Amino acid sequence: MEKSGPVQKAVVLQPFVKLVRLVARAFYDDYTTKSDNQQKSARSDNRGIAAVVLDALARRQWVREEDLAKDLQLHAKQLRKIIRLFEEEKLIMRDHRKETAKGAKMYSAAVAATTDGRAEDKVKLHTHSYCCLDYAQICDVVRFRLHRMKKRLKDELEDKNTVQEYGCPNCQRKYNALDALRLISMVDDSFHCENCNGELVVECNKLTSEEVVDGDDNARRRRRENLKNMLQKLEVQMKPLMDQLNRVKDLPIPEFGSFLAWEARAAMAARENGDLNPNDPLRSQGGYGSTPMPFLGETKVEVNLGDGNEDVKSKGGDSSLKVLPPWMIKEGMNLTEEQRGEMRQEAKVDGGAGAAAKLSDDKKSAIGNGDEKDLKDEYLKAYYAELMKQQELAARRNQQESAGEPTSGIQSGTVYSGRQVSMKAKREEDEDEDEEEVEWEEKAPVTANGNYKVDLNVEAEASGGEEEEEEDDVDWEEG
Amino acid sequence: MFFHIVLERNMQLHPRFFGRNLKENLVSKLMKDVEGTCSGRHGFVVAITGIDTIGKGLIRDGTGFVTFPVKYQCVVFRPFKGEILEAVVTLVNKMGFFAEAGPVQIFVSKHLIPDDMEFQAGDMPNYTTSDGSVKIQKECEVRLKIIGTRVDATAIFCVGTIKDDFLGVINDPAAA
């Protein structure tokens, strides 16, 4: 069901879910909601409950905590305690909302969209809490946690240059060895608190502190042994978790967005699918507050753009022949004047095809899609067709005008067209030079997609980079 | 670590020094003012080794004092984390010991003293190995490594360790 959301088209949730499950078992396995002084009987032993909750959350997106409690057959209070723990540990996002019946309905609609299941009409008039796993943060938190664990053990093992800390037992104030000069008292040879003049004690954060008391050789060796063991065990036991972290590192992280955004999106998706949901927020006329839902519907435009894009791609893919567009022709390419001008069509076909194939190879490796070039090609084809037509028209007109003197008329006609062509060629060279701006202006409205812009950028740099560099060089020499 | 650097200072000179040996007066006042001070940025100014330039004096309204911008070369001492220093022990207590390397005070806490050294209270508190071969007490010289510095605007304090290879007592005048 988590796959049905409109959000994660590209992202794969599976590795992240696995990560969460591993984390749950590694760190929250023995978490219990009971306080320590309570007598633990076999029945009330609820160890592993945190893992269960995390697993359940990994199967959902945003979920109302009451619903979660119901699904897990847990007491709401108990669940809330665990949820609060996870919130403190930065594993989940929470959202609280004072809800009217309609708000609740909207959530139900959203749930119906993501679960395509029933959504119970729960109508209550008080604050509801929602929670959702924050995968991005989970990755960071877990990595940091592992790092800290290892660092602490290693420091301990090597007695790594740690600045000793001292604490005041009375006022809980903390000092470290750098404060020593201020803390030393004239009366006796111990440190005294600046606040309450209480005697400071060494903050013992040693992991195996029982044995540190006596400094004899044996105890020290035992301690080191212990630490080494612990470090080894840590490495072994955390191995799957670390592997999973590494696997997840380069993947796109699933984002559900804030609760409101998610809800709106889910509702939109439901409407798009044509679900005649009685709880649909649009039909229920007005969501929370009095914001009409159609506003939130605007977000869908982005989705449409993406789809349209794919259409373009498929259309462009049909034309197998890659022709050389004018912005690829540079000074360095040995194209004759005719090829640039009059013989343009041929140049495009034969000289261009080779170059285009060559270019398209590294382009494809660098950029990943050539559809943008296709767009340009089509644009160019149209442009040339129009140009040819105009030239023909002009030539014909010239011929008609100079019907009396056939020889000169033909000459003038050819001259005229030649000038046209050369002008055009010049214009193209100009375009070459400042094609960055031109291309941007022309293409920007067509391709208002994020991906696309990046590609364009690369393209522009790839073709215009050399000239820019040359210009830069000149500047430097002049300066 | 010691550095030889050029510093600048605006010196205020009383009108009574105006005369034939104004310059000597200025320099001696500079030495009195600067040597032995500590700045967080450069460390302790150990000694002035030369005067580069003395700029034009500016007479202050009302007081008659004259301000000279003086550029001078000096030797500064700035302790760094990880640096190895030789220091003289000044105070030993159960929390560790204090030592001085020139102007810098260094504290070595008990857990950064090798584990086989035990604190011995008494008339002359000290840290001693179980076989009594090594003893850290007042006045003895130790080689230590700085593991932390606290640099204030006008003071530098260090924390050191002797729990590493080749660190520890290097000379004990009391034992000799």
Side-chain angles (χ1 to χ4, degrees), chain B residues 1 24 54 73 86 91 95 128 134 143 146-147 152 160 163 171 175:
Chain B
M1 208 176 291
E24 284 74 39
I54 298 176
Q73 301 166 351
E86 286 165 17
L91 178 71
M95 312 301 275
T128 319
V134 182
R143 180 171 294 144
I146 293 173
I147 59 163
D152 297 334
K163 207 180 198 175
N171 184 22

Side-chain angles (χ1 to χ4, degrees), chain A residues 1-3 8 13 17 20 52-73 79 83 92-93 107 111 114-115 118 131-135 254 256 262:
Chain A
M1 76 194 196
E2 67 269 6
K3 301 266 168 47
Q8 57 278 73
L13 199 53
V17 170
V20 170
V52 170
V53 173
L54 266 183
D55 282 3
L57 278 171
R59 287 193 296 269
R60 291 162 174 77
Q61 298 186 357
W62 279 95
V63 63
R64 180 159 51 203
E65 281 163 25
E66 284 144 48
D67 294 352
L68 187 63
K70 204 195 247 173
D71 289 353
L72 295 175
Q73 309 221 319
L79 180 73
I83 294 277
I92 61 173
M93 303 179 270
Y107 168 71
V111 161
T114 48
T115 60
R118 82 265 122 68
C131 57
C132 179
L133 288 176
D134 188 347
Y135 288 102
F256 302 128
W262 171 82

Side-chain angles (χ1 to χ4, degrees), chain A residues 155 158-166 177 206, chain B residues 95-97 106-117 127 136 143-148 158-164 167-168:
Chain A
D155 281 1
E158 295 158 19
D159 266 321
K160 198 53 173 199
N161 307 337
T162 41
V163 174
Q164 180 71 56
E165 296 202 329
Y166 304 94
K206 299 234 187 258
Chain B
M95 312 301 275
F97 67 84
I106 302 151
F107 175 63
V108 179
S109 72
K110 184 171 154 52
H111 85 297
L112 292 173
I113 296 170
D115 291 337
D116 57 342
M117 297 191 91
Y127 283 90
I136 296 175
R143 180 171 294 144
L144 47 81
K145 186 166 95 176
I146 293 173
I147 59 163
C158 299
V159 172
T161 178
I162 55 168
K163 207 180 198 175
D164 211 338
L167 301 182

Side-chain angles (χ1 to χ4, degrees), chain B residues 77-143:
Chain B
F77 173 60
R78 171 85 159 76
F80 288 96
K81 200 169 159 181
E83 189 178 350
I84 310 284
L85 284 180
E86 286 165 17
V88 179
V89 175
T90 55
L91 178 71
V92 179
N93 64 25
K94 67 173 190 222
M95 312 301 275
F97 67 84
F98 288 85
E100 276 179 6
V104 187
Q105 294 241 34
I106 302 151
F107 175 63
V108 179
S109 72
K110 184 171 154 52
H111 85 297
L112 292 173
I113 296 170
D115 291 337
D116 57 342
M117 297 191 91
E118 283 275 353
F119 178 67
Q120 315 284 338
D123 201 21
M124 194 79 167
N126 59 63
Y127 283 90
T128 319
T129 53
S130 48
D131 60 355
S133 62
V134 182
K135 193 182 257 187
I136 296 175
Q137 57 190 351
K138 202 175 164 191
E139 302 296 328
C140 81
E141 295 165 21
V142 290
R143 180 171 294 144

